[in-house]
Amino acid sequence: SRGGNDKTALAIRYDNWFDEVKAWDGATIKDGAIMAEMARQTIGEAKPNYINIDVNGIGSSAYDHLKILYDNVIPFNSAEGSEYRDKSRKLKMRNRRAEMYWRMRDALDPNGGDDLALPPSAELLADLCSARYESSSAGVKVEDKDFIKARIGRSPDIGESVMMCNFEDNSNWLIS
């Protein structure tokens, strides 16, 4: 958030249960060191199995600080390519951001999802429902965050922290 209007958000998952999302205003999180310290204070003495952190923007600086403090701090770059396909195996994802959104969509499917328990939050619900998708031969693409911000009047930071916390690839378990 680096002093801006967006929030920095931290979601913690225990099996299929998500704790209440902790979020800080942009005025509080001025740089990666502060972001890492706020995460450390929230996590405390716990030894998380993994920490997933968005390395776009100031997240790369926070990643550098957190990887010294914790094992399995995993950088998440939303622009990276993805090999993920939806549960039907018919739709491929254009990038990791689309994969993150679609994994949550699959996990929340009432017919065969992951039976997730999310914290009660109107903001979280709105964030999880805010994105629009388009599909092409290149794969599913989630609309740009700037379009989401324009439509809902803010960044979907709370929802994206939960989606990142839910994200796992074939080789790592991830928490945001």
Side-chain angles (χ1 to χ4, degrees):
S1 52
R2 189 166 271 170
N5 294 326
D6 295 351
K7 294 178 184 174
T8 294
L10 183 130
I12 299 175
R13 179 179 178 169
Y14 304 93
D15 296 321
N16 71 331
W17 181 81
F18 288 78
D19 202 346
E20 184 177 336
V21 176
K22 178 74 174 161
W24 300 271
D25 291 333
T28 302
I29 307 298
K30 296 177 183 166
D31 59 34
I34 293 171
M35 183 178 171
E37 176 56 18
M38 299 307 276
R40 188 199 62 76
Q41 288 178 20
T42 301
I43 295 168
E45 296 299 316
K47 302 277 189 221
N49 292 336
Y50 47 87
I51 298 171
N52 182 31
I53 186 163
D54 182 350
V55 293
N56 299 324
I58 70 164
S60 61
S61 175
Y63 167 77
D64 290 338
H65 287 84
L66 286 171
K67 71 181 182 178
I68 295 167
L69 301 172
Y70 299 100
D71 295 330
N72 294 326
V73 179
I74 302 165
F76 182 87
N77 181 345
S78 60
E80 283 181 7
S82 172
E83 298 297 319
Y84 183 75
R85 290 188 174 266
D86 73 325
K87 283 185 174 184
S88 74
R89 308 292 300 153
K90 294 177 183 174
L91 298 173
K92 65 181 178 177
M93 303 301 124
R94 192 175 296 183
N95 56 30
R96 302 276 276 189
R97 182 166 180 262
E99 179 180 349
M100 175 183 75
Y101 270 84
W102 214 272
R103 282 181 183 273
M104 181 57 89
R105 181 183 170 123
D106 283 345
L108 292 174
D109 183 347
N111 299 315
D114 294 339
D115 194 30
L116 298 181
L118 300 176
S121 165
E123 185 175 7
L124 173 59
L125 178 61
D127 288 358
L128 293 177
C129 296
S130 65
R132 295 180 181 165
Y133 306 89
E134 67 179 53
S135 185
S136 71
S137 60
V140 173
K141 177 185 183 291
V142 176
E143 72 180 319
D144 292 336
K145 191 185 278 191
D146 288 340
F147 291 116
I148 296 172
K149 286 179 174 183
R151 195 172 52 260
I152 68 172
R154 59 179 172 72
S155 181
D157 301 313
I158 302 298
E160 286 191 352
S161 71
V162 169
M163 285 186 273
M164 214 179 294
C165 189
N166 184 63
F167 186 93
E168 63 178 286
D169 67 17
N170 293 331
S171 60
N172 299 303
W173 288 90
L174 309 167
I175 283 184
S176 160

